[in-house]
Amino acid sequence: AGCSREVAVSAPTPDAASAEVCARVAAALPGTLAGAERRTVTPAAPTTAAWGDPPIVLRCGVPRPAALQPTSVLADVDGVSWFPEQLTAGSLFTTYGRQAYVEVAIPQDYQPATVLGELAAAVAADPRAGD
């Protein structure tokens, strides 16, 4: 199984309030995402997760995206607002209006709406906050 390889993910270092939220989000993450199995991340951290090959990578407690402006267009998926950014071979989505910023890198092999929809319940474990 090619998916048994570990995925190297840089773990964010959130403040205490965001770390608490990230623990709740992590506990609610699905074992399968968009048909892709959960993978082991290295270094192991409660703020990171990955699924599939190429991996969908989630990081909780990241800094506010530099490109995020008051006029930025957001994508709303199942009650969660996301700030989309284009990557070379996929997209990066970061939650907006929540206690902690949750970032999801989605390779072009996956449908972002499916991935974000399946993550909505887990991300909803993060209370809404001012931004």
Side-chain angles (χ1 to χ4, degrees), residues 56-108:
I56 298 166
V57 175
L58 178 143
R59 299 184 335 129
C60 185
V62 298
R64 176 187 172 99
L68 180 58
Q69 300 298 321
T71 55
S72 294
V73 175
L74 302 174
D76 188 79
V77 181
D78 294 341
V80 178
S81 295
W82 297 90
F83 172 61
E85 295 178 85
Q86 191 63 46
L87 299 175
T88 306
S91 303
L92 183 68
F93 290 85
T94 307
T95 57
Y96 178 80
R98 305 228 164 228
Q99 170 74 40
Y101 288 102
V102 177
E103 169 190 282
V104 183
I106 305 173
Q108 63 193 7

Side-chain angles (χ1 to χ4, degrees), residues 1-2 7 11 19-20 25 38 54 57 66 71 77 92 97 108 119 131:
V7 181
E20 191 176 304
V25 170
R38 182 100 179 241
V57 175
T71 55
V77 181
L92 183 68
Q108 63 193 7
L119 286 173
D131 205 331

